Amino acid sequence: MDSLHVSISAETLFKIGPLAVTNSILSGSIVTFLLVALCVYFGSMKKQLAPRGFQNLLESILELLYNMTKDVAGDTKARLFFPMIATSFLYILLNNWSGLIPGNGTITIMKNENSEGHSSSLVPQAVAANETHGEVMEVINDEHSSETMMEEEAIDEEVGASEEERHIGKIPLFRAATADLNTTLALALISVFLTQYWGVRYLGLGYFKKFFNFTAGPIFTFVGILELVSEFAKIISFAFRLFGNVFAGEVLLVVIAALSPKFFPIIPLPFYGLEVFVGFIQALVFAMLSLVFINMATISHDEH
Amino acid sequence: MEGLPVAVAIGLGAIGPGIGIGLIAAKAMEAIGRNPEAAPKIQTNMILGMAFAEAIAIYALVIALILKFV
């Protein structure tokens, strides 16, 4: 298993001053650029009253998102929350799916580890998973009688290959931005801070009565502490839910691809479909949860 | 034996969410049986609920992956 190149954190491609540009920053920037380009194009497009084709597609997506916001928050608040909810949904969705594009993770570049990433030659390498697979096949062709022996040998060979790989320092050029904990943590912080912002905007300083309530007896004081803790737990749970799902999906695909025989490459396909579905669901979950939390923060405790 | 903590982490971590997802699915099936017309709405909510239950298993999986690969 160690031969599979799995890295929990994103790897640095090169450095601009003190800023390390990782492969997930690269992917995230490309996705952001595409999203912004789409928005600019759609904004400058000559729109028809009766939408058809591309305009129809975009409008129906936005309408679905708007109706979702309206169902939870009501008409007036929906206008306020909609931009943030729709943006986070589309950004997360495209980032999740960008990790599923073939070539993501398999296009690698060579990196000289001694020079700390200052000189990284952009040499596209062959698919790493296939290489290790070929080695397993070779070992099986060797003359060993028992199956367990062969497997042990194969594992040994794989470990050797992985060490060699690490020595050379191959790193993937692209990595889904949401498969990096930094991105998901940033998204979680944005969501939670906006929750506080809208809470204060709707309820004034009375919003903080939820956390610091010393007048209504000891029980409410304790409940306030719990609320305060749960606000921080929200950041962690937002960040790890998204990161875990996307990253685990990538690991799952790599492991299944390495386990399935070379001559039968259709095996990872159902898992690929699952990951497309999970990417959508997680984007929806993030948007929905943000929406529900924000909406809850804007409702006064006395009202319900 | 080196892989044992990894296996224990994900194995124990999968028990709770497994029960949870089972309960969600059971109740959703019951609800669809009672009111088949509401099936699409129930289904979306069921999948959302499952995603939350699954997230807990994912936490355990992240721990397992960290133990395994870091």
Side-chain angles (χ1 to χ4, degrees):
Chain A
M1 280 284 267
D2 282 291
S3 75
L4 305 170
H5 181 73
V6 174
S7 162
I8 299 248
S9 59
E11 288 120 318
T12 311
L13 294 175
F14 55 89
K15 278 184 176 169
I16 305 173
L19 175 74
V21 177
T22 59
N23 41 16
S24 69
I25 290 181
L26 183 66
S27 279
S29 308
I30 292 170
V31 168
T32 312
F33 176 76
L34 288 178
L35 205 56
V36 170
L38 186 73
C39 290
V40 171
Y41 174 70
F42 184 55
S44 64
M45 208 166 100
K46 197 167 166 244
K47 289 175 203 68
Q48 296 146 313
L49 196 63
R52 52 173 61 215
F54 186 60
Q55 187 193 348
N56 199 6
L57 175 76
L58 290 181
E59 281 189 7
S60 58
I61 291 170
L62 289 181
E63 205 173 312
L64 275 174
L65 285 170
Y66 186 73
N67 282 336
M68 185 187 92
T69 319
K70 206 171 70 181
D71 284 346
V72 176
D75 222 347
T76 47
K77 282 185 202 164
R79 286 175 168 275
L80 197 64
F81 302 155
F82 173 68
M84 183 262 168
I85 302 299
T87 308
S88 56
F89 175 79
L90 290 175
Y91 181 73
I92 292 169
L93 182 71
L94 288 182
N95 267 317
N96 288 354
W97 283 354
S98 82
L100 297 173
I101 298 169
N104 196 306
T106 51
I107 299 173
T108 55
I109 61 166
M110 304 292 280
K111 197 184 149 200
N112 197 349
E113 299 207 348
N114 299 332
S115 58
E116 289 194 347
H118 283 297
S119 65
S120 56
S121 57
L122 288 157
V123 184
Q125 292 293 310
V127 180
N130 276 355
E131 279 181 7
T132 50
H133 216 86
E135 274 159 19
V136 176
M137 287 305 203
E138 275 169 34
V139 171
I140 288 170
N141 284 340
D142 284 354
E143 289 171 18
H144 287 288
S145 50
S146 75
E147 239 177 17
T148 50
M149 274 289 281
M150 282 195 282
E151 272 170 21
E152 275 171 22
E153 281 286 322
I155 288 164
D156 284 350
E157 194 83 353
E158 276 182 15
V159 171
S162 81
E163 272 164 13
E164 207 172 308
E165 254 174 39
R166 256 174 227 150
H167 184 67
I168 299 165
K170 267 195 236 167
I171 52 173
L173 186 58
F174 299 109
R175 178 194 175 99
T178 40
D180 179 6
L181 190 55
N182 294 310
T183 315
T184 59
L185 196 59
L187 288 166
L189 283 170
I190 291 170
S191 168
V192 171
F193 273 101
L194 276 177
T195 308
Q196 319 304 318
Y197 169 73
W198 270 314
V200 171
R201 192 164 152 184
Y202 265 82
L203 303 177
L205 285 176
Y207 171 71
F208 293 109
K209 231 169 75 184
K210 196 167 91 178
F211 306 123
F212 308 104
N213 193 348
F214 303 114
T215 50
I219 290 174
F220 282 94
T221 311
F222 189 65
V223 168
I225 295 168
L226 285 185
E227 289 271 354
L228 198 62
V229 171
S230 83
E231 215 68 18
F232 287 99
K234 243 158 49 179
I235 299 175
I236 297 168
S237 98
F238 263 133
F240 271 98
R241 182 183 301 117
L242 190 54
F243 165 71
N245 271 287
V246 178
F247 179 68
E250 260 172 38
V251 174
L252 175 73
L253 287 180
V254 169
V255 169
I256 294 293
L259 286 178
S260 58
K262 207 181 192 176
F263 50 84
F264 201 57
I266 208 163
I267 288 174
L269 212 59
F271 295 94
Y272 191 88
L274 177 78
E275 285 317 311
V276 171
F277 181 65
V278 165
F280 172 75
I281 286 289
Q282 287 308 315
L284 187 68
V285 162
F286 190 96
M288 275 293 267
L289 263 189
S290 305
L291 179 60
V292 169
F293 284 147
I294 289 169
N295 192 47
M296 259 162 47
T298 59
I299 297 169
S300 159
H301 198 67
D302 307 321
E303 273 176 42
H304 69 146
Chain B
M1 283 307 269
E2 225 178 84
L4 191 64
V6 183
V8 168
I10 184 61
L12 289 180
I15 293 173
I19 295 170
I21 290 174
L23 285 176
I24 294 166
K27 284 287 171 188
M29 294 304 122
E30 210 172 277
I32 291 173
R34 279 172 193 229
N35 187 2
E37 274 146 43
K41 227 174 173 181
I42 293 167
Q43 231 157 29
T44 21
N45 284 331
M46 178 185 80
I47 286 168
L48 264 181
M50 278 181 175
F52 292 131
E54 195 194 54
I56 297 165
I58 295 285
Y59 300 154
L61 185 61
V62 169
I63 298 294
L65 289 174
I66 287 172
L67 285 177
K68 180 79 192 168
F69 291 115
V70 174

